[in-house]
Amino acid sequence: MLFKKVDREYWNSLLRASLLGIHLVATTFIGLAVGYYLDKWLGTHPWLTMGFLILGIIAGFKNMFQEVQKIHKDDGQASKKH
């Protein structure tokens, strides 16, 4: 079968890389939602929404950068084994 020929590390790296976009969108959406509801509750529209949106975007890029570093490190170790 085709999938048996491809090693496990390849699929693990592919799955981890596919989650990068999901992490970026999720953290951005969570920051936006928290800011929106805090603005609604405290009546400070639009300041907390913008602040938490920016924090969500920053957190998303930070997580994405860390995950790319882990994937790169794991790929480097896997290539040394072969």
Side-chain angles (χ1 to χ4, degrees):
M1 176 160 227
L2 175 67
F3 295 117
K4 290 184 179 181
K5 292 180 182 178
V6 179
D7 59 2
R8 192 175 190 93
E9 290 91 19
Y10 172 78
W11 286 106
N12 189 24
S13 294
L14 186 64
L15 290 173
R16 288 169 65 183
S18 68
L19 289 174
L20 293 175
I22 294 171
H23 284 290
L24 182 62
V25 171
T27 54
T28 302
F29 179 74
I30 289 170
L32 179 67
V34 168
Y36 175 77
Y37 286 111
L38 283 175
D39 270 339
K40 195 173 179 181
W41 182 49
L42 298 172
T44 56
H45 185 71
W47 301 110
L48 291 178
T49 301
M50 290 190 311
F52 277 92
L53 175 63
I54 291 170
L55 286 176
I57 293 170
I58 291 169
F61 276 107
K62 179 183 169 272
N63 289 341
M64 192 170 63
F65 180 72
Q66 289 175 342
E67 192 64 31
V68 167
Q69 283 184 328
K70 287 179 191 176
I71 291 170
H72 183 67
K73 183 179 126 189
D74 291 345
D75 284 346
Q77 290 174 353
S79 66
K80 288 180 183 178
K81 290 180 184 177
H82 297 288

